[in-house]
């Protein structure tokens, strides 16, 4: 029996724990003849989702389509599944909203920039995994961020996603009411990622809180936006408070990612490289080559995790 929209939260949680399936909280889905995943250009009556995606065990999401295509090429080579130079078709080629690539048990999806964009993608991704009857799925967001008190190039594995007041929560207005959701992530998975970094020994990785904001400029205390009503001291005081609360990096997607993955029973992690120390500046001064090398670090770390988990799974079956 798979968890689904007809079950209570408690029943869903019990089933999810026993079967590690993806579940949804929406009784209205039961009465729909077809579920159109509009922004993916996929649907339950037009595509055989179990055949297309049923084997998926790992989902990696990130902001840009280019980065997610790069990741699928990288992981194909790491897992020796196919020539990394091969051409990988965009499964969502019928839409320009998101890009999706797949190789074996790995799905790579772009989510755009900011909470609204990733939230739309996650609604449809979670339903896709549910309709495809996927089990034991691990999902990781990879990306870039501004660091706090860290050398540029440091990778941060998120402990908790916190809001701009440093609280671990996502506030969303639904039907005029404010709903607060938990932004806890899987701590076991975070520790596994930290161990993978130690195994690799290629770059510094830390576990810390990630501040998720609604804006890149004023919301992150930058001084270089079109508008700014605060001083350099105000900025530094705020970032110091953030650091003292446990924040080690700042981005714009982790809170809704954590909240939605927790609701759907997905084992989730956020892995972001820091491109600069925000306490020392607002704009990027590193060369394109250096920034490109930094951006590869999350995919290297997550690629190692996937390879390690697949090897462990194969060993347990033999």
């Amino acid at each position: 029996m798979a968890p689904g929209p007809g079950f209570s939260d408690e029943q869903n949680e019990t089933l999810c724990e026993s079967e590690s399936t993806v579940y949804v909280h929406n009784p209205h889905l039961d009465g729909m003849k077809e579920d159109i995943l509009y922004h993916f250009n996929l649907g339950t009556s037009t595509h055989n989702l179990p055949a297309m995606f049923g084997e998926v065990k790992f989902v990696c999401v990130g902001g840009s389509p280019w980065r997610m295509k790069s990741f699928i090429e990288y992981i194909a080579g790491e897992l020796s599944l196919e020539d990394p130079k091969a051409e990988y078709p965009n499964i969502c080629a019928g839409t320009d909203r998101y890009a999706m690539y797949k190789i074996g048990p790995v799905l790579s999806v772009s989510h755009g920039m900011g909470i609204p964009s990733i939230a739309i993608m996650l609604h449809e991704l979670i339903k896709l995994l549910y309709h495809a009857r996927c089990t034991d799925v691990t999902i990781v967001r990879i990306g870039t961020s501004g660091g706090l008190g860290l050398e540029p190039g440091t990778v941060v594995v998120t402990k908790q996603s916190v809001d701009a007041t440093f609280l671990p929560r996502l506030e969303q207005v639904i039907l005029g009411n404010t709903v607060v959701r938990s932004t806890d992530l899987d701590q076991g998975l975070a520790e596994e990622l930290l161990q993978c970094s130690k195994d690799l020994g290629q770059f510094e990785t830390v576990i810390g809180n990630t501040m998720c904001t609604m804006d890149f400029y004023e919301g992150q205390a930058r001084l270089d936006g079109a508008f700014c009503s605060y001083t350099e001291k105000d900025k530094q005081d705020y970032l110091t408070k953030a650091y003292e609360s446990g924040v080690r990096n700042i981005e714009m997607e982790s809170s809704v990612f954590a909240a939605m993955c927790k609701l759907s029973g997905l084992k989730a992690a956020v892995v972001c490289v820091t491109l600069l120390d925000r306490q020392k500046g607002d704009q990027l001064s590193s060369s394109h080559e250096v920034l490109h090398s930094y951006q590869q670090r999350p995919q290297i770390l997550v690629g190692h995790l996937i390879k390690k988990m697949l090897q462990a799974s194969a060993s347990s079956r033999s």
Side-chain angles (χ1 to χ4, degrees), residues 47-99:
H47 298 81
N48 186 340
L49 299 181
M52 293 174 68
F53 301 102
E55 67 176 332
V56 169
K57 298 296 181 186
F58 302 95
V59 180
C60 193
V61 303
S64 77
W66 173 86
R67 187 181 301 152
M68 301 327 293
K69 185 175 183 180
S70 173
F71 176 77
I72 212 69
E73 292 169 347
Y74 174 78
I75 202 66
E78 282 294 290
L79 302 180
S80 302
L81 292 173
E82 201 169 321
D83 181 356
K85 298 298 183 182
E87 192 59 38
Y88 298 92
N90 176 10
I91 299 170
C92 299
T95 175
D96 61 358
R97 295 297 182 185
Y98 305 106

Side-chain angles (χ1 to χ4, degrees), residues 45-182:
S45 67
T46 55
H47 298 81
N48 186 340
L49 299 181
M52 293 174 68
F53 301 102
E55 67 176 332
V56 169
K57 298 296 181 186
F58 302 95
V59 180
C60 193
V61 303
S64 77
W66 173 86
R67 187 181 301 152
M68 301 327 293
K69 185 175 183 180
S70 173
F71 176 77
I72 212 69
E73 292 169 347
Y74 174 78
I75 202 66
E78 282 294 290
L79 302 180
S80 302
L81 292 173
E82 201 169 321
D83 181 356
K85 298 298 183 182
E87 192 59 38
Y88 298 92
N90 176 10
I91 299 170
C92 299
T95 175
D96 61 358
R97 295 297 182 185
Y98 305 106
M100 179 186 293
Y101 304 94
K102 180 181 176 296
I103 184 73
V106 183
L107 189 66
S108 179
V109 191
S110 70
H111 58 60
M113 189 182 296
I115 287 175
S117 183
I118 191 174
I120 294 167
M121 187 281 290
L122 284 171
H123 272 284
E124 298 187 15
L125 174 64
I126 290 165
K127 291 198 297 175
L128 183 154
L129 297 172
Y130 169 74
H131 290 311
R133 299 193 286 274
C134 295
T135 60
D136 300 315
V137 177
T138 297
I139 181 169
V140 183
R141 167 172 139 69
I142 61 172
T144 58
S145 63
L148 286 183
L150 300 173
E151 286 297 315
T154 302
V155 173
V156 178
V157 179
T158 302
K159 180 180 180 181
Q160 279 187 315
S161 175
V162 301
D163 64 15
T165 64
F166 322 133
L167 294 175
R169 65 185 182 184
L170 170 72
E171 289 190 344
Q172 183 174 1
V173 178
I174 302 174
L175 300 181
N177 300 310
T178 299
V179 176
V180 179
R181 288 173 171 162
S182 167

Side-chain angles (χ1 to χ4, degrees), residues 29 48 72 79 108 141 183 197 203 205 224 273 305 307:
L29 295 178
N48 186 340
I72 212 69
L79 302 180
S108 179
R141 167 172 139 69
T183 55
S197 177
F203 42 79
T205 301
D224 59 341
V273 67
L305 172 77
K307 192 173 183 179

Side-chain angles (χ1 to χ4, degrees), residues 246-257:
V247 172
R248 292 298 176 266
N249 66 329
I250 308 171
E251 46 86 92
M252 297 188 292
E253 293 87 16
S254 60
S255 62
V256 74
F257 174 83

